[in-house]
Amino acid sequence: MTVSAEPRPRAVAKTRSRAQTGRGARRSAGPFTYVVLTMLAIFALGPIVLFLFNALKTTNEYATSALSLPTTWQWGNFLEAWQTANMGAGLANSLIIVVGTVVLTCFVAGCAAYALARLEIHGANGFISYVLIVSSLPGQMFLVPLFATWTKLGLYDTQLGLIIIYCGLFSPFATLLLRSFMIGIPKEFEEAARVDGANELQLLFRIVLPNAWPGFLTIALTTGLSAYNEFLFAVTFIQNPQRQPVSLAFFTFQQGFTQNYNLISAAGVIMILPMLVLFLLLQRRFIDGIAASGLGGS
Amino acid sequence: MHRRRSFGVRVRDRRVAGWLFMLPLIAVNVVVVLVPAASSVYYSFTDWSGIGGANFIGLQNYAQLLKDGEFLNGLWHNILWTIFFLIVPMAMGLFGAYALTRIRRFQLLFRVLYFIPYIVASVVNASIWRSILDPQSGIGALLHINPLGNPSLALWSVEFVNNWAWWGFLVVVFLAAMSGISPSLYEAAEMDGAGPVRQFFSITLPGIRPTFAFLGLMTIIWSFLAFDYVYVLTQGGPAGSTDLLSTVLYRDAFSNLQGGYASAIGVVMALISAIVVVGYLVLRRVRKWEI
């Protein structure tokens, strides 16, 4: 009833596993599994490839079909999209927002994680529950009053204002992740330094931070990605086109009067490229951090 | 004697230092989340426009919600959204992860490929699919349908697009959970002649139950917060067919200037999350699940 191609390869693998390889050798799957997995890969990547093709078409060619290869490759579309969609300014603003968010979150979460992992504070468990509750509150619940507060404080329509919001949204989870990282660092290092008379700040900067940097890299990547892609708060809290992150520059361009979908596609490719490159370079760290978020950070 | 006292001082100092280290996190959270969330509860009992003063009107906003067709319509769509996301991406994620545990080669490659849509921003994902689904030049033209423009198809289309960016995340998380299952269990099952499907239901699924339950919980919570894809793709249309609680709230707050009323919607959304979480905790205690 299930998979007709299964029995034979499994039998083969069974004998093989007894004969030679030891580790994980039970894993066995026929060509059928590979076919399905490849189809899923095409489902995942095909749309992005089509998007790239559309970015390279002329307007007329796009209008005929959005599902075909371009006949002539219009690389100039990228330049035109860069200029008309204001992508340069958008990317620069996103860089400010992402770097600001990452630095602030690493600082805030680093301090808190250190306190939770190493300094014996009362109510640490209660605090962790608090963090979990706060981070599960829907953004929509506090969006409207936050908008009023930010307007009053002069933080509305500023990048700093958005950075602070992102830090508030992303730091609880980053703290939990970093905390579990820091718990894994052997305590002996610090005990030794403490005996030598180092104070808490020195301990943090000399011992804990250098050892916890993979954890920091992970939270930097996940918060950076979230800040780069975030939409609800960006569209609510940034109005001035000169301060828009690239997500809004792209959104505005897409909603605009010139519905040149080849140029919109080109702008979209420009927007996803930096994160795609970063992801492919550091995919192990990305995936580990994001898998941890799905495992409940525990 | 002297020694012990200095040790006691040391511990107290460390506690003080501990709370000092917590201060930035607490401050940011109080300002960004806690105070606005609390004022949202307050404003939900007022006629606040979003700016300026507010008059207390009791439960009027909540009474109004029960009669508000847009709100009930949004709520219903959120329920449909939840059902879709509990079934389709979960099945794809479980299948993908399980299949990946059973192959020898390219496991890491497939994992990276499946994950790529997740890192693409929602605004861009929406744009990618808008052109693919287009009724003039895309799949819509081939099938003679208008996936995003037809009220009876639009919600499913938006869910489909959101799922495209989502299921790869589930593959990654389920795969991480499945790699924690001892291979000896599978070997024993194999000896007993259990096929891949039997092994999945009797070993894999029980083995990842904490993750499965957690992601089920998060799926429900996130489904009630969904916003980006609807806002970018359809703005709730056509004819309200893709409106969700979040888009109704957004419109009431920022177009209709009904800050108090929008706050009431936000509070209801938070209550739904709270009920789901409490239900999960109770279930966990009753069934004695340990996470």
Side-chain angles (χ1 to χ4, degrees):
Chain A
M1 182 193 147
T2 52
V3 184
S4 55
E6 275 299 350
R8 223 176 45 139
R10 199 175 70 234
V12 173
K14 213 174 185 177
T15 47
R16 200 188 292 157
S17 79
R18 299 248 175 79
Q20 23 172 303
T21 44
R23 191 177 58 89
R26 63 148 192 108
R27 272 120 224 258
S28 52
F32 178 80
T33 313
Y34 281 100
V35 170
V36 176
L37 287 171
T38 308
M39 278 162 56
L40 283 173
I42 292 170
F43 174 63
L45 288 190
I48 299 176
V49 174
L50 275 180
F51 196 57
L52 182 64
F53 287 163
N54 288 336
L56 292 164
K57 286 174 187 169
T58 63
T59 312
N60 284 338
E61 200 181 347
Y62 175 83
T64 336
S65 173
L67 307 171
S68 61
L69 270 164
T71 45
T72 55
W73 301 59
Q74 306 287 320
W75 294 99
N77 284 350
F78 286 102
L79 191 65
E80 203 179 336
W82 179 274
Q83 285 161 348
T84 38
N86 214 3
M87 295 303 278
L91 284 171
N93 290 333
S94 278
L95 187 70
I96 296 171
I97 292 167
V98 166
V99 171
T101 305
V102 166
V103 170
L104 193 63
T105 306
C106 280
F107 170 73
V108 167
C111 288
Y114 177 65
L116 290 172
R118 281 296 192 265
L119 304 167
E120 290 117 62
I121 54 172
H122 282 303
N125 278 332
F127 185 78
I128 292 170
S129 325
Y130 164 80
V131 165
L132 285 176
I133 291 168
V134 164
S135 53
S136 67
L137 284 178
Q140 285 89 349
M141 183 189 178
F142 50 87
L143 191 67
V144 188
L146 190 63
F147 185 82
T149 315
W150 251 222
T151 310
K152 242 180 268 169
L153 294 175
L155 287 168
Y156 168 66
D157 207 11
T158 66
Q159 288 160 352
L160 179 67
L162 197 59
I163 290 171
I164 295 173
I165 294 174
Y166 286 164
C167 179
L169 295 178
F170 305 144
S171 58
F173 170 70
T175 303
L176 293 182
L177 201 78
L178 265 183
R179 175 182 158 270
S180 58
F181 233 96
M182 287 183 179
I183 287 174
I185 301 170
K187 266 190 172 162
E188 287 75 26
F189 296 156
E190 292 153 70
E191 301 297 339
R194 222 173 242 135
V195 168
D196 292 343
N199 65 34
E200 294 305 332
L201 269 183
Q202 285 169 328
L203 280 178
L204 178 63
F205 283 103
R206 300 244 177 92
I207 310 287
V208 179
L209 290 191
N211 282 298
W213 77 265
F216 277 97
L217 183 57
T218 301
I219 65 160
L221 287 174
T222 49
T223 37
L225 176 70
S226 309
Y228 189 81
N229 287 347
E230 204 282 333
F231 183 70
L232 171 64
F233 284 88
V235 77
T236 311
F237 284 86
I238 300 284
Q239 170 116 63
N240 187 333
Q242 296 309 312
R243 299 187 192 129
Q244 281 179 345
V246 65
S247 54
L248 291 190
F250 174 74
F251 179 66
T252 316
F253 183 57
Q254 188 210 43
Q255 301 287 103
F257 298 110
T258 52
Q259 290 288 341
N260 283 338
Y261 247 94
N262 51 345
L263 294 186
I264 291 172
S265 308
V269 172
I270 293 172
M271 180 180 169
I272 59 182
L273 210 56
M275 276 299 149
L276 205 59
V277 171
L278 199 64
F279 169 70
L280 291 176
L281 288 177
L282 296 165
Q283 46 99 1
R284 219 24 103 69
R285 290 253 152 261
F286 259 108
I287 288 184
D288 285 352
I290 285 161
S293 75
L295 295 172
S298 56
Chain B
M1 209 44 195
H2 175 74
R3 212 179 200 173
R4 185 177 293 171
R5 227 183 82 210
S6 80
F7 181 71
V9 169
R10 202 89 203 241
V11 167
R12 211 190 60 207
D13 281 354
R14 288 177 66 189
R15 280 201 185 124
V16 173
W19 283 109
L20 281 178
F21 278 117
M22 298 296 293
L23 207 57
L25 178 69
I26 296 172
V28 173
N29 264 281
V30 165
V31 173
V32 174
V33 180
L34 206 59
V35 170
S39 19
S40 208
V41 176
Y42 166 74
Y43 284 128
S44 72
F45 299 109
T46 70
D47 63 355
W48 189 48
S49 71
I51 35 167
N55 300 309
F56 188 78
I57 54 167
L59 288 169
Q60 232 167 290
N61 285 330
Y62 291 95
Q64 180 72 33
L65 282 180
L66 295 175
K67 291 179 290 186
D68 182 351
E70 283 193 2
F71 169 81
L72 296 173
N73 181 42
L75 184 64
W76 171 239
H77 290 155
N78 274 114
I79 292 169
L80 292 177
W81 191 281
T82 310
I83 294 170
F84 178 90
F85 275 86
L86 280 176
I87 297 172
V88 179
M90 281 290 199
M92 289 175 78
L94 283 174
F95 176 84
Y98 185 59
L100 286 183
T101 63
R102 302 189 71 86
I103 61 172
R104 288 158 187 281
R105 308 176 65 181
F106 307 123
Q107 196 199 57
L108 289 179
L109 177 70
F110 279 122
R111 190 178 74 155
V112 168
L113 296 182
Y114 295 168
F115 198 66
I116 285 176
Y118 181 81
I119 64 158
V120 176
S122 52
V123 263
V124 179
N125 282 343
S127 190
I128 289 173
W129 282 96
R130 199 207 295 263
S131 66
I132 292 176
L133 298 174
D134 193 273
Q136 259 103 53
S137 54
I139 287 176
L142 294 178
L143 303 175
H144 300 290
I145 51 171
N146 188 355
L148 291 166
N150 181 338
S152 55
L153 293 176
L155 186 66
W156 302 109
S157 306
V158 179
E159 288 167 350
F160 173 85
V161 174
N162 193 344
N163 173 44
W164 175 73
W166 175 240
W167 68 277
F169 168 82
L170 294 180
V171 171
V172 164
V173 179
F174 283 135
L175 188 60
M178 285 176 192
S179 62
I181 299 173
S182 161
S184 60
L185 290 175
Y186 290 106
E187 274 156 30
E190 198 110 323
M191 298 281 196
D192 295 344
V197 177
R198 270 286 297 284
Q199 289 181 29
F200 174 78
F201 283 106
S202 53
I203 298 171
T204 312
L205 209 50
I208 61 161
R209 197 182 54 198
T211 306
F212 185 66
F214 178 73
L215 286 177
L217 174 80
M218 295 318 287
T219 297
I220 299 175
I221 292 176
W222 286 328
S223 294
F224 277 89
L225 305 181
F227 174 80
D228 292 15
Y229 285 89
V230 168
Y231 188 80
V232 178
L233 280 171
T234 61
Q235 306 257 323
S241 61
T242 57
D243 244 344
L244 300 174
L245 288 180
S246 62
T247 53
V248 175
L249 178 151
Y250 204 82
R251 219 176 21 244
D252 284 339
F254 298 105
S255 308
N256 303 343
L257 297 180
Q258 295 177 306
Y261 191 63
S263 296
I265 300 178
V267 171
V268 170
M269 292 169 77
L271 281 177
I272 294 171
S273 303
I275 291 169
V276 173
V277 171
V278 169
Y280 169 77
L281 292 176
V282 168
L283 211 74
R284 207 176 63 167
R285 180 154 300 180
V286 171
R287 297 281 194 83
K288 297 204 167 57
W289 293 347
E290 72 284 324
I291 296 186

